[in-house]
Amino acid sequence: MSTATSAATSARPRTAPAPHAPAAGGTRRRSRTRTRLELALLLGPGLLLFAGFVLVPIGVAGFYSLYSWNGFGPLTDFVGLRNYTDALSGAVFQGAIGHNLVIAVLSIVVQLPLSIGLALLLNRKLRGRTFLRMVVFAPYVLSEAVTAVIWLLMLQPGGFIDAVLRGMGLGGLVQLWLADPSIVLYTLFLVITWKYIGFGVILLLAGLQGVPVELREAAALDGASSWQITRNVVLPLLGPTIRIWIFLSVIGSLQLFDLVWIMTLGGPANASTTMATYLVDHGFKRYEFGFGSAVAVILFIICFLFALLYQRFALRRDTEGAIG
Amino acid sequence: MRRNAVGYLAAFAVIGVTVVPLLFVVLGGFRTTAQINASPAGLPGPLVWDNYVAVLGSVEFWRLLGNSLLIAVIATTLAVGLGAMAAFALSRYAFKGREAVYTLFTLGLLFPIGVATLPLYLWLRQLGLLENPLGVAIPEAAFSLPVTIVILRPFMRAIPGELEDAALLDGAAKLGFFWRILLPLSRPALITVSVLAFVTSWNFYLLPLLVFNDSAHFTLPLGVAMFQSEHTQDTAKVLAFTALSMLPALAFFVLAERRMVGGLTGSVKG
């Protein structure tokens, strides 16, 4: 911050404050008005867009959430916090929160070690490494909608996945992937992993570039085994990257929508409902705009609290100075 | 040597898991639905071109592509244009409340569009922007603004103050410096944020889902999902349609890969 401030101030012509010289004071005032105008011109449109389509809608959701309202006509039926208590005491919404948490925890427990392992392997001097990186990253580029349709087709009963499993003599593993309530959430998790694993690998590969070769060499000279080097030298240095990945992954898990909506609509029997699908289902399909807004506010508070706590306890060291 | 062998083995496994679903889609489009039903994991016998020809010859596919392109271009232009202006103000001016404004924008990184959709929908209805490409493009731009500013500001900050001093001494106005010197110098960062904003818009599903009822306005992600649900009996055609609709994103990725990966990792390093 200090460097930029000094750069900006030093860039402006310095007129000495001279109260007895009205001419100098006049130009200074004029240039200050000019600076204000420039700032308004530069910042105004962006702030307006941001406030009008991001901040205000979120604030307005808080207002609607106190009413029972179908989205048409005036807001008359004030119900206080009843929408919130109704949502939080409902079994379906509680289940939805649980599903989001299961996905978040599974992501950390399964995707993170997998990403680290793959990144460490792909960091070696393999032939065709560039090509490999592109391939790993490709699913991340596809929209969740396309991903959902691809896997919907592959997971049809008797479809591609079942045929491959049977062909490998693993017919016993065949399941009703999307129709069995006890399995559907894990199926969705596998699809999410397929789509997003590349993102983690690419992030970690970039982080590995920041680990000096000299450090590893020095550790090797001291007689450290390659596992010890990885465990005690490389992983700690990857810390910031890993912590950012966890943050993005949890926030993403809490907001899961597209994939679930297209593949299962939250079914069967609400076994894969997420907070976001619950919100859209009630808000738009059933015109419960007040209730839907309460759900939106709850989702927002959960994300916000997580971000705040995580920032406070895990990210502080990494982002010192970077984020105010 | 042995360790590299393990590396290659892992590499092959990764390629397999990643590529097989994509190949399933592309190759499936060259078969008939009867062939797919008989042997889901089979390869195309003689290549069947009918599915791809039918999709490419349909008005629907090109209209979806056009709608997606229009919305993505508007959203990207808005986000990058206004974002660059704001980043300039936040990096090269000293004023009270600057850090507070910046923090406000960074908070936007945390807000999922999902949280705002309900009131956003009502707001767009009030503005008369439902069934209108702008009703999707403008909010998308607003939600892309934070990441744009977060990437551009440090970049613009790092450009030496001497350049600015020299330009101002030569009689250029501060805005002239922005337009003629800072923007051209920021090109790499501008390309990165453009790619990110474009891809975000291109892949967006929830907002167009709510804003558009008339399928004539649909974007590609909506169209793919709709085509799938409307042609459940014609798997081969759905596969061809899906293959063609993932092509633009993959082609764009091949062209802009360095920018995308660089942008993502750069934004994380702060």
Side-chain angles (χ1 to χ4, degrees), chain A residues 70-144:
Chain A
N70 63 2
F72 297 92
L75 290 154
T76 49
D77 193 1
F78 183 83
V79 296
L81 295 176
R82 205 185 68 207
N83 284 330
Y84 289 90
T85 51
D86 280 359
L88 288 170
S89 61
V92 177
F93 188 63
Q94 284 173 0
I97 297 178
H99 299 151
N100 281 111
L101 290 180
V102 167
I103 298 284
V105 170
L106 277 179
S107 298
I108 294 172
V109 175
V110 176
Q111 288 176 6
L112 184 61
L114 201 60
S115 303
I116 294 174
L118 285 174
L120 287 172
L121 284 169
L122 297 184
N123 198 39
R124 296 188 186 157
K125 291 191 178 62
L126 300 178
R127 239 177 259 187
R129 203 163 52 161
T130 323
F131 170 73
L132 209 58
R133 284 182 189 193
M134 284 184 70
V135 168
V136 171
F137 201 57
Y140 180 70
V141 186
L142 300 178
S143 63
E144 279 198 22

Side-chain angles (χ1 to χ4, degrees), chain A residues 197-208:
Chain A
I197 200 81
F199 177 69
V201 172
I202 295 287
L203 270 192
L204 289 161
L205 274 172
L208 282 172

Side-chain angles (χ1 to χ4, degrees), chain B residues 107-169:
Chain B
L107 278 181
L109 291 175
L110 306 175
F111 297 163
I113 205 163
V115 172
T117 39
L118 267 176
L120 199 55
Y121 169 81
L122 297 169
W123 182 218
L124 293 169
R125 195 175 73 185
Q126 197 137 27
L127 294 173
L129 287 175
L130 295 184
E131 302 294 336
N132 184 333
L134 287 177
V136 172
I138 293 175
E140 279 177 0
F143 276 85
S144 285
L145 215 49
V147 80
T148 306
I149 291 173
V150 165
I151 293 178
L152 283 181
R153 178 165 114 134
F155 197 93
M156 289 185 171
R157 243 183 196 186
I159 288 167
E162 287 80 8
L163 272 176
E164 187 173 338
D165 290 344
L168 295 179
L169 274 180

Side-chain angles (χ1 to χ4, degrees), chain B residues 202-252:
Chain B
W202 187 265
N203 287 343
F204 232 133
Y205 176 74
L206 177 54
L207 195 61
L209 176 73
L210 304 175
V211 170
F212 300 138
N213 250 326
D214 180 355
S215 62
H217 297 129
F218 275 16
T219 56
L220 214 41
L222 286 181
V224 172
M226 184 184 68
F227 197 87
Q228 191 275 327
S229 60
E230 280 180 356
H231 298 78
T232 41
Q233 298 309 311
D234 198 351
T235 312
K237 206 162 164 196
V238 174
L239 287 172
F241 194 93
T242 310
L244 287 170
S245 57
M246 63 187 197
L247 217 56
L250 289 178
F252 188 67

